[in-house]
Amino acid sequence: SCFCFYSYAGESDTDFSSLKKMSPQQIFNKALQMHSENQIEQAVTLYQQAASHPHADSETKKRALQNLGAIQHESGRQTLNSSPQKALQIFSLAEKFYMEALREKIHNEDLRKNQQLLLADLQKAKELMKQQQELNDAKEKAKQELEKASSQNQQAKKSPDQNDKAEQAKQQTQSAKDAMEEYQKRIPDNNQQEKQDAKEISEEITKAQEEQQ
């Protein structure tokens, strides 16, 4: 599921001392050099200059725009699992560059493949955002049920009708435990922070149950 960057087989002049004297193709080649050296910010600036150059031909524009899109696409993939919402924003920028490249009306199968991969990645980001929201909702419900259980435990200790209140507290604590189990089911295996949060909530539920003995 790799996407494609474009190289350039045209001019190979390596004297990049003055951008003003460079042709769009030479600027593009300089961008490729920066890109290959992982100097991404510099590469992006040069790709943008190559694409917007008044004398750039359609082929150079298309390739510069495709590489700008691919850089954003790769960046989005790197943040996809940790922050799907941020990835979605980055993917939208990648899509913008890909669409601009397509407007150059030069057939490019690699660009179309990139777009297909991007559509799949956009869908994955949306699914991950939905899962994250469901996880957050389940976590919040577990915390709310636990708060209710703790409150009812305190009421049971002070109430003259202790047996009824104690039974209500037990039922509420069971509701908290059920909500906790639902929360735990939704936690991804690699999400250690959520696992730690779940452990702390679970310990509080156990403490509440012990108080009811």
Side-chain angles (χ1 to χ4, degrees):
S1 61
C2 294
F3 46 89
C4 305
F5 292 94
Y6 245 110
S7 59
Y8 195 81
E11 299 177 42
S12 58
D13 188 347
T14 57
D15 181 10
F16 301 115
S17 58
S18 175
L19 285 175
K20 291 182 179 179
K21 297 179 181 179
M22 290 165 60
S23 69
Q25 293 87 351
Q26 287 174 319
I27 296 173
F28 180 82
N29 278 349
K30 181 62 174 176
L32 284 176
Q33 178 186 330
M34 296 293 99
H35 199 165
S36 67
E37 295 171 359
N38 205 34
Q39 298 184 51
I40 302 301
E41 289 185 10
Q42 295 92 324
V44 166
T45 298
L46 290 167
Y47 283 137
Q48 289 173 334
Q49 290 182 4
S52 62
H53 197 288
H55 301 302
D57 56 44
S58 290
E59 183 71 15
T60 301
K61 285 184 181 180
K62 178 199 69 179
R63 293 184 175 192
L65 289 166
Q66 176 171 339
N67 282 11
L68 283 167
I71 285 172
Q72 297 300 327
H73 195 167
E74 182 176 40
S75 176
R77 281 185 160 187
Q78 290 173 352
T79 63
L80 183 56
N81 290 320
S82 60
S83 181
Q85 186 171 6
K86 182 179 179 181
L88 193 62
Q89 294 172 345
I90 297 172
F91 287 152
S92 295
L93 185 56
E95 185 176 33
K96 173 179 173 289
F97 284 126
Y98 286 159
M99 292 301 295
E100 288 181 10
L102 279 175
R103 292 193 189 102
E104 295 305 315
K105 300 184 184 301
I106 295 176
H107 178 71
N108 184 339
E109 189 61 31
D110 286 338
L111 179 55
R112 296 190 184 278
K113 287 179 180 178
N114 281 4
Q115 280 196 305
Q116 290 173 355
L117 288 171
L118 181 61
L119 287 173
D121 287 336
L122 282 165
Q123 184 60 37
K124 185 176 180 182
K126 291 174 182 177
E127 290 173 357
L128 287 172
M129 283 179 64
K130 181 181 177 182
Q131 291 172 13
Q132 184 64 51
Q133 186 59 55
E134 290 173 346
L135 176 64
N136 291 342
D137 290 346
K139 179 180 181 179
E140 189 60 30
K141 183 177 180 181
K143 291 168 70 175
Q144 289 174 355
E145 294 296 322
L146 174 58
E147 287 177 6
K148 291 178 184 178
S150 298
S151 176
Q152 290 191 12
N153 265 354
Q154 294 302 315
Q155 291 175 24
K157 292 177 182 178
K158 299 175 183 178
S159 173
D161 190 10
Q162 218 172 39
N163 289 338
D164 287 346
K165 291 293 184 181
E167 184 58 34
Q168 290 175 11
K170 285 182 180 180
Q171 291 176 2
Q172 182 57 50
T173 304
Q174 183 59 49
S175 295
K177 185 177 180 182
D178 293 342
M180 178 67 220
E181 290 174 353
E182 183 61 31
Y183 167 42
Q184 287 177 314
K185 287 178 185 177
R186 296 180 182 277
I187 299 175
D189 290 338
N190 62 347
N191 195 327
Q192 298 304 317
Q193 182 59 56
E194 291 291 349
K195 286 184 177 182
Q196 179 61 34
D197 291 348
K199 181 181 177 182
E200 291 174 3
I201 297 172
S202 183
E203 288 173 352
E204 288 296 319
I205 292 173
T206 300
K207 181 180 177 181
Q209 288 177 320
E210 290 173 349
E211 290 177 357
Q212 294 163 1
Q213 300 302 322

